[in-house]
Amino acid sequence: GIQVEQSPPDLILQEGANSTLRCNFSDSVNNLQWFHQNPWGQLINLFYIPSGTKQNGRLSATTVATERYSLLYISSSQTTDSGVYFCAVERGGSARQLTFGSGTQLTVLP
Amino acid sequence: NAGVMQNPRHLVRRRGQEARLRCSPMKGHSHVYWYRQLPEEGLKFMVYLQKENIIDESGMPKERFSAEFPKEGPSILRIQQVVRGDSAAYFCASSPKRDFGYTFGSGTRLTVV
């Protein structure tokens, strides 16, 4: 199956700092999404981004499908950004399954 | 738009009991998916359903687990004779059609004691 690797596994930031999270995947995909799992366990959809660049407030994401990676940028981080960030991909074809990476655990300190 | 609704949020069952987890997809979404997050692990696909049909159940354990999405009402994930290893967070997601992003619910945390 498709492999999804996220880096770094853990990240500790001071409030106000910027960060970049990376997601590499091993095969072509027709869907890529970034999720934030907050400390209460809720899974929040951040971006649906199989290719290109999107921005939403302090967050933006870029997927370069031909090179099989995606980046999530967090600017001016806040303590509420803490949690685990997951990248998930879906291959083309008939299967309709997301394969999740192991996540980046982000801690933003006040 | 109420989003994907899952209930209950927390469920405690004794070993051997049955667990029923419910998922109401977003309005206008006819595709439902179940994922499981075991402790210290990522989310893993379980099953993909459309109304009255199971499309892909390749991620479902072969025994004790079943899922349905009836014509009327929510999708149900049913676990019979639960064991401690079933303790996990179960997430439901929905999408309006195939080539579209997923929206996840808040999950049901099942604890088997």
Side-chain angles (χ1 to χ4, degrees):
Chain A
I2 193 166
Q3 306 298 315
V4 182
E5 294 183 359
Q6 291 187 243
S7 59
D10 298 279
L11 185 59
I12 299 175
L13 299 174
Q14 209 64 43
E15 198 168 25
N18 302 328
S19 62
T20 301
L21 282 57
R22 187 177 180 102
C23 172
N24 293 331
F25 43 96
S26 61
D27 204 345
S28 59
V29 299
N30 67 352
N31 178 14
L32 186 147
Q33 290 184 249
W34 284 97
F35 296 93
H36 174 214
Q37 189 166 37
N38 64 23
W40 295 270
Q42 293 177 309
L43 200 61
I44 299 161
N45 182 30
L46 298 176
F47 293 103
Y48 167 71
I49 188 166
S51 64
T53 297
K54 290 186 178 179
Q55 179 153 8
N56 185 2
R58 296 181 294 103
L59 303 182
S60 63
T62 295
T63 298
V64 184
T66 53
E67 297 187 22
R68 299 182 184 168
Y69 73 89
S70 183
L71 301 174
L72 178 68
Y73 306 95
I74 304 174
S75 64
S76 304
S77 58
Q78 301 176 356
T79 56
T80 51
D81 294 332
S82 296
V84 182
Y85 288 80
F86 288 106
C87 167
V89 303
E90 180 181 41
R91 292 180 68 174
S94 59
R96 185 76 174 143
Q97 300 182 17
L98 280 174
T99 300
F100 281 78
S102 54
T104 291
Q105 173 77 59
L106 175 65
T107 303
V108 181
L109 302 175
Chain B
N1 195 334
V4 178
M5 304 300 292
Q6 290 189 248
N7 65 80
R9 289 294 306 276
H10 301 274
L11 182 61
V12 179
R13 285 286 178 266
R14 295 188 182 278
R15 280 179 295 172
Q17 291 185 319
E18 179 179 287
R20 280 182 177 246
L21 288 62
R22 294 175 186 77
C23 169
S24 296
M26 286 185 70
K27 188 175 181 181
H29 288 196
S30 58
H31 301 242
V32 165
Y33 318 83
W34 287 92
Y35 284 76
R36 177 167 67 171
Q37 185 176 33
L38 291 165
E40 308 302 323
E41 293 188 21
L43 288 95
K44 297 284 196 283
F45 168 81
M46 298 182 74
V47 63
Y48 163 30
L49 311 105
Q50 293 181 35
K51 284 287 186 181
E52 301 184 277
N53 289 303
I54 297 174
I55 307 301
D56 181 358
E57 56 181 349
S58 59
M60 288 275 271
K62 294 289 184 279
E63 297 178 349
R64 302 185 297 108
F65 285 72
S66 62
E68 63 176 7
F69 189 16
K71 187 176 181 181
E72 301 292 337
S75 175
I76 306 288
L77 180 67
R78 182 184 179 203
I79 311 172
Q80 295 178 289
Q81 299 176 319
V82 295
V83 301
R84 288 220 171 109
D86 297 333
S87 294
Y90 292 83
F91 289 91
C92 170
S94 71
S95 71
K97 53 185 177 180
R98 277 189 54 85
D99 296 323
F100 222 81
Y102 299 72
T103 300
F104 277 80
S106 296
T108 293
R109 275 135 194 95
L110 172 66
T111 303
V112 179
V113 297

